[in-house]
C-alpha cells in the first residue's frame, strides 16, 4: 500500500534551547505524523523533557518554533496550548493531591467542555452525570475505580502516574505527550498501561512517548527519534533505529535488548 | 438550578434553624440582644466570603477590610444621595466593592504566596490611610461619614417620601424601619442566603477549579484552565461578600469610619476563618461568632458581676477566684482570646470544625471497643 | 542639601530599627519556615526589659528627715534609690544609664524567652500549615502583650536618655560645614551605630562560624541539611533564640526614641512583615536593605515640601513603595525562588 503524503500534526522547526551556557536542545527538527505513536529515546539529560516543555509552553525556545496543526504554539500560554488539544503526562506526576481521585479526573473534563474559563455556579459537580460517568469509566479502565473517593495524594507513585494518564485521556486530546509513563511501575502495571495505550492507539490519537524501557518503546512506537546531547541523531522506523550503528553507539552502548 | 445535594440541603436547613433561633439559644449565654446578634450575622457573612477566597484557592488576603470599608462608605453615600431604602444601598455597596476588589485583585494576583498577602495588605493600608487624609471629602476623615437631616436623597425626594419625624432619618426596607429585631432578622436572612451561595460555589465546577488551583496550579494550567480569571473571580466574589457585610454594618448603624479598613480588621477575618476551619462551610461562621462573642461579652464582664456569680463561695476563696478570673475578662478579654487561639490550634489542628470531626471519629471508634468508653467533651 | 542630609540621617535610625526587627523575622522564616506573628511581641518584650531594669534599680527607700521641713511645715520625705545607698555615685550613674545597661539584662532574658517559646510551642508547628502558624503565633503575641499590660498598665512608659547623651551632635562640623548647619541627636546617632554593629555581628556570625554555615545552608535547602544528619532541631532553637535577642535589644535601645506601650509589638509587626517581604523571602541582606530603604523614604515623605507636593504621601509611602517593588520585582529586592510562594 502506498502511503499518501502523511499528515504532519506537530512540527518542531529548528528549535534551540540554551540554559545559560548549556545547550539543552540544538537544531531540533521533529515532525510527528497524525495518528502515530512517536517515541523519543535518549540517555539521561539528553533534552527529552526539555523538548516537551518547549512544546507545551512551559519554557520558551531560545529560537525556532513549534507548529501544531497549522497553529504556531510558540508564545502561547500553557492553557491555550492545552485547549488546542495537547495534553501531557509529566515525568514527576502532576496531579491534584488534595482532591479525591474522581475529581482529579473530572476537572480536566470540565476544561475540555467549558473552555479555559467559565464561572458556572448554577450546576453542581454531582449533577454533571455525563462527565462523572466518563470519569468513572476511565478510572475503571485504568484500575483505580476502587479508590475514586480517596485523596489522590495518598496514592502510590505508580498509581499517581496512571491517574495522571487518566486525567489526560479524559480530555481526548489530539496529541498526547507522555514523559516516561511507566517509570516506577511494576511489571504488571507496565503491561496494563501498554495495553491501555494500545487501545487508545486504535482511536487515532497521536502520541509522543518518552521512555527508557525498550520493551515499552518497541511494543508501542511507530516511529522513533533518538536524542543525544540535545540533538536528534537518528529518526526512523523501529527496525531502522535498532540497526542504526550511531544509535547503538550513542545510546544503547552497542547492545540492543 | 437552585438545587443542592441532599447533604447540603440538610446542612442549610440546620444552619437556617440555628441562625433564626439565635434569640432563643443565645439567651443563656447573655448574648441574645439584637445589636450583638446582628453583628454575629454580619461578621459571619464577612468570613464566609473570605473563606471562598482563602479556603478554596489558598490565597491569603490580608486586606479584606478594605472591601468592608468601601461597602460601608458606599452605603452611607447611598443613604445620603439616593434614598434611605436599604435596597439600593446594598446593591451599590456590592457593586462598588466588587469593582474595588477587581482593581486590587488584578494587581495583587500577579504574585502568589506571601507576596500576594503583602500586596493586599499594602493596598488596604493605603486605602485606610488615604481615607483619613486625602480622601476626607469622601470619607469625612476621623469623624467618619454621617447622615445629615439636609442630605439631598434624590430618589426619596422624587417619590416624595420625606423624613417627617424629628432627628436623623432611619434606614428602611420598603418603608419599614430596620432597627431592633427587624435589623437582626434582616441580617439573619441575608446570612442564610450567603451561606447558601457559598454552598453552591463549593459544590460547583467553579469551586472545583478553585480547589484545583490550591492543590496544584501547574496542573491546572497544563490542563487547560486559565487560572488568572478564576482567581480574580474568586477574589471579586469574596470582596463583594465583604462589601455586603460592610453595607449591613452601616445599615444597622448608619455611619462609616476608616477604622473598618485597618489591618487589624483584615487580620480578624483571617483569624475567624482559621479558628473555625479553613475551607469548611461552617468553620468561618463559628469562628466569627466565637471571636465576636468574646469581644462583646467577655469584655463587658466586670468584678461586680464576678463577685455576684461567686458569692456562694467562702469570702477568702471568693476574693481569690474573682481576682484570678478578673484577669481574663473585662479589659483582659484579649488574654482569653489569645489563649483560646493557642489552645484550639494546639489541640484541634485544622480548626474547630476539623477538630470536631476528628473527635467524633475517635468517639465512634471508642464506642466500638467496649472498654474504651470515656466521656470526651467537644472543646467548644 | 543639608535638609536632604538631615532627612537621610533621620531615616537611617528608623531604618535601623526596621532592619533589626526584619532580620530576626526573616531568619526564622528562612530557617524554621515559620510565619512568626509573635515577632513584634519580642521587640515589645525587649522594650519592657529596659522598663523592668529601670524599675528595679530605681526602687527606693523613703525616709522622713525630721530636721528638714517643707515650706508648709511638714517633714520632708527623702527618697534614695537603693543602688545609690549601696554603690554611692556609681549607683547614680547606673540609674542614669539604665537603658543601655539593661541590654545586659535583655540578652539573657530574651534568649530564655526565645528558647522557651520555640521549645514549648513553635517547634510543634514546623510541619503545620502557615495558617495554623499564624493563628498560634498571633495568639501567643496577644497573650504576651496582655501579660505585659497587666504588669505595666496601658500607658506608655517613657525611658530617659542618659544625661550625657542628650542634645544633638553637630555633625556638620565634622565634615567641615559651618556650626549648627547639620545637627543630629546623639541618641539617634548611637542607635544607628548600634544597629549597624548588631547587623554586622549577625552577618559575621552567620558567615564565619560553622554554626552560621549550617544555618545558611538550611536557609538555602532545608531538606538536604536535614538529610546530612545534622541535628537541626537544636540549631533551630538557637536561631529562634538569636532572633529573639536581636529583636529584644533593638527594642531596648529604641525606648528613649519611642515610649513603649504594651501593643507596640503589633504596630511594628505589620511593618516588619512588609520590610521582610519587600526585601525578599529568604534573603538577610534583602531584609536589611529594605529596612533602611523604607526608613529613609518614610523620612523623606514626611518633609513638608514633599507633603505639599503630594498630599498624604507620608501616610502611604511605605505601602506604596512595597506595591511598586513587588509588582516590578516578583520576589522583592533579593528574594529567592520558591520560598513562601505558595
Ligand atoms: N529549567 C532548567 N534550567 C536549567 N537547566 C535545565 C533546565 N531544565 C533542564 N535543564 C538541563 O537540560 C538538560 C536536559 O534536561 P532534560 O530534563 O530535558 O533531560 P531528559 O532527557 O529528560 O533526561 P531524563 O531522562 O533524566 O529525564 C539537563 O542537563 C538539565 O540539567
Ligand atoms: Mg526527562
Amino acid at each position: 500500500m502506498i502511503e499518501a503524503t502523511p499528515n504532519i500534526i506537530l512540527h518542531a522547526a529548528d528549535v534551540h534551547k540554551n540554559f545559560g551556557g548549556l545547550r539543552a536542545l540544538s537544531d531540533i527538527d521533529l515532525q510527528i505524523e497524525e495518528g502515530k505513536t512517536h517515541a523519543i529515546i535518549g540517555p539521561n539529560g539528553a533534552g527529552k523533557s526539555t523538548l516537551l516543555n518547549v512544546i507545551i509552553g512551559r519554557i520558551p525556545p531560545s529560537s525556532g518554533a513549534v507548529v501544531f496543526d497549522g497553529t504556531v504554539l510558540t508564545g502561547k500560554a500553557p492553557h491555550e496550548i492545552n485547549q488546542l488539544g495537547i495534553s501531557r503526562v509529566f515525568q514527576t506526576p502532576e496531579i491534584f493531591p488534595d482532591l479525591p481521585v474522581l475529581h482529579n479526573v473530572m476537572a480536566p473534563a470540565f476544561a475540555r467542555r467549558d473552555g479555559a474559563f467559565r464561572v458556572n455556579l448554577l450546576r453542581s459537580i454531582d449533577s454533571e452525570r455525563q462527565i462523572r460517568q466518563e470519569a468513572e469509566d476511565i478510572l475503571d479502565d485504568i484500575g483505580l475505580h476502587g479508590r475514586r473517593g480517596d485523596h489522590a495524594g495518598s496514592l502510590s507513585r505508580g498509581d499517581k502516574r496512571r491517574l495522571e494518564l487518566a486525567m489526560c485521556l479524559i480530555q481526548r486530546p489530539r496529541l498526547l505527550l507522555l514523559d516516561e509513563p511507566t517509570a516506577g511501575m511494576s511489571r504488571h502495571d507496565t503491561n496494563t498501561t501498554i495495553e491501555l495505550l494500545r487501545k487508545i492507539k486504535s482511536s487515532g490519537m497521536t502520541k509522543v512517548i518518552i521512555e527508557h524501557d525498550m520493551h515499552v518503546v518497541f511494543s508501542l512506537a511507530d516511529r522513533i527519534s533518538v536524542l543525544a546531547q540535545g540533538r536528534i541523531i537518528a529518526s526512523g522506523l523501529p527496525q531502522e533505529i535498532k540497526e542504526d550503528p550511531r544509535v547503538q553507539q550513542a545510546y544503547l552502548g552497542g547492545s540492543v535488548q | 438550578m437552585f438545587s443542592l445535594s441532599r447533604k447540603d440541603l440538610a446542612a442549610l436547613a440546620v444552619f437556617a434553624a440555628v441562625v433564626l433561633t439565635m434569640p432563643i439559644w443565645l439567651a443563656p449565654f447573655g448574648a441574645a440582644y439584637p445589636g450583638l446578634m446582628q453583628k454575629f450575622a454580619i461578621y459571619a457573612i464577612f468570613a464566609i466570603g473570605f473563606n471562598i477566597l482563602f479556603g478554596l484557592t489558598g490565597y491569603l488576603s490580608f486586606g479584606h477590610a478594605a472591601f468592608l470599608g468601601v461597602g460601608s462608605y458606599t452605603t452611607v453615600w447611598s443613604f445620603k444621595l439616593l434614598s434611605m431604602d436599604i435596597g439600593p444601598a446594598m446593591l451599590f455597596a456590592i457593586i462598588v466593592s466588587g469593582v474595588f476588589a477587581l482593581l486590587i485583585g488584578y494587581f495583587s494576583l500577579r504574585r502568589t504566596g506571601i507576596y500576594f498577602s503583602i500586596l493586599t495588605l499594602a493596598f488596604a493600608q493605603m486605602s485606610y490611610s488615604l481615607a483619613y487624609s486625602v480622601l476626607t471629602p469622601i470619607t469625612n476623615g476621623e469623624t467618619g461619614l454621617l447622615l445629615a437631616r439636609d442630605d439631598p436623597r434624590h430618589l426619596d425626594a422624587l417619590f416624595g417620601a420625606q423624613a417627617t419625624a424629628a432627628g436623623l432619618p432611619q434606614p428602611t426596607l420598603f418603608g419599614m424601619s430596620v432597627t431592633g429585631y427587624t435589623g437582626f432578622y434582616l441580617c439573619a436572612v441575608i446570612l442564610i442566603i450567603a451561606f447558601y451561595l457559598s454552598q453552591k460555589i463549593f459544590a460547583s465546577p467553579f469551586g472545583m477549579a478553585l480547589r484545583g488551583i490550591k492543590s496544584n496550579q501547574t496542573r491546572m494550567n497544563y490542563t487547560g484552565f486559565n487560572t488568572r480569571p478564576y482567581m480574580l473571580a474568586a477574589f471579586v466574589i469574596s470582596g463583594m461578600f465583604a462589601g455586603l457585610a460592610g453595607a449591613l454594618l452601616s445599615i444597622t448603624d448608619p455611619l462609616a469610619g476608616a477604622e473598618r479598613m485597618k489591618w487589624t480588621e483584615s487580620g480578624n477575618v483571617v483569624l475567624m476563618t482559621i479558628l473555625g476551619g479553613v475551607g469548611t462551610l461552617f468553620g468561618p461562621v463559628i469562628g466569627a461568632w466565637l471571636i465576636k462573642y468574646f469581644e462583646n461579652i467577655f469584655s463587658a464582664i466586670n468584678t461586680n458581676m464576678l463577685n455576684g456569680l461567686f458569692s456562694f463561695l467562702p469570702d477568702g476563696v471568693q476574693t481569690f477566684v474573682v481576682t484570678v478570673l478578673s484577669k481574663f475578662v473585662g479589659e483582659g478579654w484579649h488574654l482569653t482570646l489569645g489563649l483560646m487561639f493557642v489552645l484550639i490550634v494546639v489541640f484541634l489542628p485544622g480548626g474547630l470544625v476539623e477538630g470536631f470531626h476528628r473527635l467524633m471519629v475517635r468517639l465512634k471508634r471508642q464506642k466500638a471497643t467496649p472498654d474504651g468508653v470515656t466521656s470526651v467533651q467537644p472543646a467548644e | 542639601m543639608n535638609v536632604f542630609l538631615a532627612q537621610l540621617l533621620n531615616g537611617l535610625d528608623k531604618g535601623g530599627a526596621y532592619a533589626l526587627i526584619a532580620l530576626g523575622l526573616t531568619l526564622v522564616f528562612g530557617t524554621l519556615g515559620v510565619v512568626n506573628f509573635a515577632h513584634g511581641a519580642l521587640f515589645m518584650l525587649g522594650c519592657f526589659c529596659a522598663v523592668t531594669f529601670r524599675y528595679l534599680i530605681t526602687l527606693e527607700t523613703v525616709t522622713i528627715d525630721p530636721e528638714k521641713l517643707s515650706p508648709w511645715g511638714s517633714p520632708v520625705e527623702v527618697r534614695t534609690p537603693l543602688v545609690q545607698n549601696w554603690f554611692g555615685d556609681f549607683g547614680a550613674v547606673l540609674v542614669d544609664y539604665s537603658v543601655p545597661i539593661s541590654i545586659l539584662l535583655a540578652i539573657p532574658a530574651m534568649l530564655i524567652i526565645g528558647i522557651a517559646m520555640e521549645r514549648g510551642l513553635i517547634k510543634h508547628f514546623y510541619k503545620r500549615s502557615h495558617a495554623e502558624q499564624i493563628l498560634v503565633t498571633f495568639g501567643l503575641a496577644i497573650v504576651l502583650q496582655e501579660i505585659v499590660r497587666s504588669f505595666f498598665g496601658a500607658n506608655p512608659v517613657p525611658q530617659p536618655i542618659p544625661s550625657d547623651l542628650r542634645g544633638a551632635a553637630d555633625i556638620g562640623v565634622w565634615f567641615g560645614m559651618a556650626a549648627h548647619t547639620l545637627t543630629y541627636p546623639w541618641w539617634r546617632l548611637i542607635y544607628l551605630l548600634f544597629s549597624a554593629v548588631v547587623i554586622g555581628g549577625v552577618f559575621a556570625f552567620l558567615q564565619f562560624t560553622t554554626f552560621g554555615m549550617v544555618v545558611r545552608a538550611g536557609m538555602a535547602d532545608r531538606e538536604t541539611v536535614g538529610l546530612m544528619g545534622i541535628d537541626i532541631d537544636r540549631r533551630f532553637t538557637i536561631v529562634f533564640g538569636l532572633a529573639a535577642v536581636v529583636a529584644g535589644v533593638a527594642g531596648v535601645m529604641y525606648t528613649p526614641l519611642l515610649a513603649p506601650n504594651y501593643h507596640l509589638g503589633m504596630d511594628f509587626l505589620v511593618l516588619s512583615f512588609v520590610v521582610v517581604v519587600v526585601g525578599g523571602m529568604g534573603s538577610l541582606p534583602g531584609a536589611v536593605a529594605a529596612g533602611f530603604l523604607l526608613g529613609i523614604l518614610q523620612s523623606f515623605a514626611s518633609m513638608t515640601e514633599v507633603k505639599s507636593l503630594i498630599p498624604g504621601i507620608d501616610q502611604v509611602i511605605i505601602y506604596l513603595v512595597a506595591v511598586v517593588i513587588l509588582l516590578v520585582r516578583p520576589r522583592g529586592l533579593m528574594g529567592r525562588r520558591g520560598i513562601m510562594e505558595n
Side-chain angles (χ1 to χ4, degrees):
Chain A
M1 203 176 91
I2 304 157
E3 265 188 75
T5 28
N7 189 7
I8 303 297
I9 191 165
L10 185 92
H11 186 185
D14 203 18
V15 167
H16 293 253
K17 180 70 203 179
N18 304 329
F19 290 116
L22 177 77
R23 293 172 158 234
L25 294 175
S26 326
D27 214 5
I28 298 289
D29 199 283
L30 182 71
Q31 306 200 352
I32 310 287
E33 277 178 47
E34 181 152 26
K36 293 284 159 64
T37 300
H38 196 124
I40 297 177
I41 61 174
N44 289 110
K48 306 180 296 290
S49 299
T50 305
L51 180 56
L52 293 198
N53 284 342
V54 169
I55 294 173
I56 61 162
R58 190 175 220 190
I59 53 177
S62 303
S63 69
V66 181
V67 181
F68 174 73
D69 198 25
T71 314
V72 180
L73 297 185
T74 317
K76 283 201 188 305
H79 68 265
E80 294 173 313
I81 293 175
N82 175 281
Q83 288 288 343
L84 289 170
I86 302 179
S87 295
R88 171 180 182 181
V89 172
F90 285 82
Q91 191 165 350
T92 42
E94 294 277 2
I95 54 169
F96 302 119
D98 312 317
L99 300 192
V101 167
L102 181 66
H103 286 190
N104 266 266
V105 186
M106 287 175 77
F110 284 119
R112 180 198 72 201
R113 192 194 68 186
D114 297 342
F117 174 62
R118 184 167 158 206
V119 183
N120 48 353
L121 300 181
L122 295 181
R123 316 277 310 241
S124 81
I125 306 170
D126 294 330
S127 65
E128 302 278 2
R129 297 246 152 75
Q130 202 182 337
I131 281 181
R132 188 189 166 108
Q133 193 54 51
E134 231 177 294
E136 295 210 17
D137 290 347
I138 286 192
L139 284 175
D140 222 3
D141 283 348
I142 215 143
L144 284 177
H145 193 261
R147 306 205 52 182
R148 64 185 181 282
D150 297 351
H151 276 204
S154 67
L155 297 180
S156 71
R157 197 172 137 83
D159 282 349
K160 281 183 187 157
R161 227 166 240 300
R162 286 192 292 168
L163 172 61
E164 198 186 7
L165 180 57
M167 292 162 74
C168 289
L169 289 178
I170 201 168
Q171 293 201 305
R172 294 197 292 267
R174 295 182 61 199
L175 176 62
L176 178 61
L177 307 173
L178 302 143
D179 200 342
E180 306 192 15
T182 65
M185 277 189 196
S186 66
R187 191 82 248 172
H188 173 258
D189 285 349
T190 301
N191 284 334
T192 28
T193 307
I194 293 178
E195 275 320 304
L196 184 74
L197 290 173
R198 277 232 180 87
K199 211 158 71 182
I200 318 163
K201 191 172 172 178
S202 51
S203 75
M205 189 187 294
T206 315
K207 291 192 292 293
V208 172
I209 177 165
I210 292 176
E211 195 46 81
H212 285 297
D213 186 337
M214 287 307 135
H215 169 62
V216 180
V217 172
F218 287 109
S219 34
L220 288 172
D222 299 312
R223 292 189 76 85
I224 299 178
S225 294
V226 185
L227 208 59
Q229 291 176 336
R231 291 175 182 280
I232 295 181
I233 56 168
S235 223
L237 298 172
Q239 204 50 39
E240 297 166 6
I241 296 296
K242 241 183 205 169
E243 285 155 9
D244 192 319
R246 283 172 306 170
V247 177
Q248 299 194 354
Q249 193 196 359
Y251 177 55
L252 303 170
S255 66
V256 185
Q257 58 269 54
Chain B
M1 194 161 114
F2 299 108
S3 64
L4 290 170
S5 71
R6 188 166 300 196
K7 202 168 139 233
D8 275 344
L9 210 56
L12 181 65
V14 170
F15 184 76
V18 167
V19 171
L20 293 173
T21 56
M22 262 188 184
I24 300 168
W25 63 266
L26 275 178
F29 298 98
Y33 50 97
L36 182 56
M37 289 189 299
Q38 68 202 15
K39 272 219 183 84
F40 283 174
I42 293 170
Y43 280 90
I45 295 171
F46 190 19
I48 284 176
F50 183 76
N51 188 44
I52 290 170
L53 179 71
F54 182 41
L56 289 180
T57 72
Y59 276 58
L60 176 56
S61 159
F62 238 96
H64 255 50
F67 311 125
L68 192 75
V70 168
S72 281
Y73 282 124
T74 312
T75 301
V76 178
W77 273 114
S78 166
F79 286 155
K80 287 167 89 71
L81 294 182
L82 295 174
S83 158
M84 286 310 292
D85 196 88
I86 63 171
M90 285 199 286
L91 186 68
F92 281 114
I94 292 173
I95 292 172
V96 174
S97 55
V99 171
F100 203 63
L102 189 69
L103 269 174
I104 293 185
Y106 177 81
F107 289 106
S108 302
L109 286 168
R110 294 172 168 254
R111 300 290 172 257
T112 57
I114 196 155
Y115 296 101
F116 167 82
S117 304
I118 295 294
L119 277 173
T120 50
L121 169 78
F123 280 118
Q125 283 293 86
M126 280 199 271
S127 316
Y128 164 68
S129 300
L130 292 179
Y132 264 134
S133 54
V134 185
L135 297 178
T136 306
I138 303 177
T139 61
N140 202 20
E142 283 182 34
T143 326
L145 196 58
L146 302 167
L147 297 180
R149 263 192 76 76
D150 54 356
D151 283 331
R153 287 191 287 280
H154 295 297
L155 272 185
D156 285 354
L158 208 64
F159 295 106
Q162 274 305 332
T164 44
L168 287 175
Q170 290 291 327
T172 53
L173 173 62
F174 305 126
M176 187 170 68
S177 145
V178 290
T179 49
Y181 274 97
T182 326
F184 162 66
Y185 282 110
L186 171 77
C187 297
V189 168
I190 295 178
L191 169 60
I192 293 167
I193 296 172
F195 185 82
Y196 164 77
L197 284 176
S198 100
Q199 282 184 310
K200 283 302 276 185
I201 291 173
F202 271 54
S204 69
F206 173 73
M208 181 198 247
L210 297 182
R211 284 202 186 88
I213 291 172
K214 179 180 187 176
S215 191
N216 186 346
Q217 187 149 5
T218 313
R219 184 25 101 192
M220 284 300 279
N221 283 319
Y222 296 106
T223 297
F225 287 100
N226 190 3
T227 49
R228 184 71 70 78
Y230 274 103
M231 292 298 312
L232 197 54
F235 195 88
V236 170
I237 291 174
S238 87
M240 288 162 124
F241 272 76
L244 175 63
L248 289 173
L249 282 176
S250 288
I251 285 170
T252 50
D253 183 10
L255 57 89
E259 73 289 341
R260 256 171 217 167
M261 300 176 134
K262 204 184 169 187
W263 74 268
T264 42
E265 202 67 30
S266 300
N268 250 336
V269 77
V270 174
L271 295 173
M272 289 169 183
T273 310
I274 303 175
L275 189 66
V278 181
T280 62
L281 280 167
F282 286 106
V285 178
I286 297 173
W289 289 352
L290 210 57
I291 289 184
K292 282 293 148 189
Y293 180 78
F294 274 90
E295 187 183 307
N296 288 281
I297 299 297
F298 265 62
S299 63
I301 300 178
N302 56 32
T303 335
N304 286 341
M305 294 163 76
L306 284 179
N307 271 323
L309 202 61
F310 292 100
S311 53
F312 63 93
L313 291 170
D315 263 4
V317 183
Q318 182 193 359
T319 324
F320 175 75
V321 169
V322 169
T323 320
V324 171
L325 286 184
S326 65
K327 294 280 177 214
F328 294 89
V329 295
E331 290 208 312
W333 72 272
H334 274 114
L335 182 61
T336 316
L337 193 72
L339 280 174
M340 186 179 71
F341 288 171
V342 173
L343 292 179
I344 285 178
V345 77
V346 168
F347 293 108
L348 297 175
L352 285 171
V353 170
E354 271 282 315
F356 188 72
H357 275 306
R358 218 164 300 162
L359 263 176
M360 292 313 268
V361 169
R362 200 185 305 166
L363 273 181
K364 264 185 208 149
R365 215 176 291 148
Q366 277 182 348
K367 282 223 178 89
T369 51
D371 56 347
V373 187
T374 46
S375 70
V376 182
Q377 294 280 315
E380 266 181 280
Chain C
M1 184 61 197
N2 293 335
V3 184
F4 179 83
L5 273 178
Q7 289 302 332
L8 186 71
L9 285 169
N10 266 336
L12 280 177
D13 62 80
K14 193 174 262 178
Y18 293 167
L20 283 178
I21 304 174
L23 195 64
L25 191 59
T26 198
L27 207 58
V28 169
F29 259 148
T31 47
L32 282 61
V34 171
V35 187
N36 183 16
F37 269 50
H39 196 73
L42 291 171
F43 179 79
M44 181 271 296
L45 286 179
C47 293
F48 279 91
C49 280
V51 175
T52 311
F53 182 72
R54 188 169 177 82
Y55 174 78
L56 290 178
I57 64 169
T58 51
L59 284 177
E60 33 188 31
T61 53
V62 181
T63 48
I64 295 180
D65 191 340
E67 310 282 291
K68 289 185 200 160
L69 292 181
S70 68
W72 41 92
S74 58
V76 167
E77 283 184 0
V78 179
R79 297 168 173 268
T80 15
L82 286 171
V83 278
Q84 215 160 330
N85 275 352
W86 302 335
F87 305 118
D89 284 350
F90 177 64
V93 174
L94 270 184
V95 173
D96 193 20
Y97 277 84
S98 73
V99 169
I101 294 173
S102 57
I103 287 185
L104 297 178
L105 166 73
I107 291 176
M110 293 308 295
L111 197 63
I112 291 169
I113 291 172
I115 289 175
M117 252 168 86
E118 198 273 348
R119 286 288 88 184
L121 202 58
I122 308 282
K123 91 169 175 200
H124 304 292
F125 285 83
Y126 291 151
K127 298 232 158 59
R128 303 273 285 270
S129 69
H130 289 324
E132 292 184 301
Q133 294 173 351
I134 290 174
L135 189 63
V136 76
T137 53
F138 199 86
L140 186 63
I142 296 177
V143 170
L144 289 174
Q145 77 177 29
E146 285 305 308
I147 291 174
V148 167
R149 192 180 63 92
S150 71
F151 278 104
F152 297 95
N155 295 326
V157 196
Q159 298 295 300
I161 300 175
S163 48
D164 296 338
L165 302 174
R166 290 184 196 145
D170 202 344
I171 303 190
V173 177
W174 305 351
F175 298 104
M177 298 179 210
H180 307 300
T181 40
L182 181 60
T183 57
Y184 190 52
W186 276 109
W187 190 259
R188 288 174 176 264
L189 190 64
I190 289 171
Y191 195 88
L192 177 56
L193 293 177
F194 169 77
S195 56
V197 168
V198 174
I199 292 167
V202 171
F203 275 91
F205 177 68
L206 293 178
Q207 201 69 39
F208 300 122
T209 61
T210 35
F211 179 88
M213 262 169 55
V214 175
V215 170
R216 279 186 299 132
M219 281 182 92
D221 185 353
R222 237 172 347 137
E223 269 157 37
T224 317
V225 175
L227 293 177
M228 273 154 47
I230 293 170
D231 176 7
I232 314 194
D233 266 21
R234 207 170 47 96
R235 287 187 162 77
F236 277 2
T237 312
I238 298 175
V239 166
F240 200 89
L242 180 71
V245 169
V246 172
V249 296
V252 167
M253 294 292 278
Y254 210 67
T255 48
L257 298 177
L258 182 68
N261 56 24
Y262 72 103
H263 57 75
L264 181 71
M266 285 295 175
D267 305 340
F268 272 81
L269 173 71
V270 172
L271 217 63
S272 50
F273 264 93
V274 174
V275 169
V276 165
V277 174
V278 165
M281 298 308 297
S283 164
L284 294 171
V288 173
F292 280 107
L293 178 74
L294 292 179
I296 292 168
L297 286 175
Q298 196 176 30
S299 135
F300 277 117
S302 54
M303 290 165 70
T304 14
E305 294 90 329
V306 179
K307 274 197 284 190
S308 62
L309 208 64
I310 317 168
I313 185 71
D314 54 320
Q315 304 288 321
V316 297
I317 179 75
I318 289 205
Y319 299 108
L320 190 64
V321 172
V323 164
V324 171
I325 289 182
L326 291 181
L327 287 179
V328 175
R329 294 186 61 90
R331 280 175 282 275
L333 293 176
M334 309 181 188
R336 275 210 306 273
R337 183 179 285 274
I339 302 181
M340 300 259 178
E341 283 197 85
N342 47 36

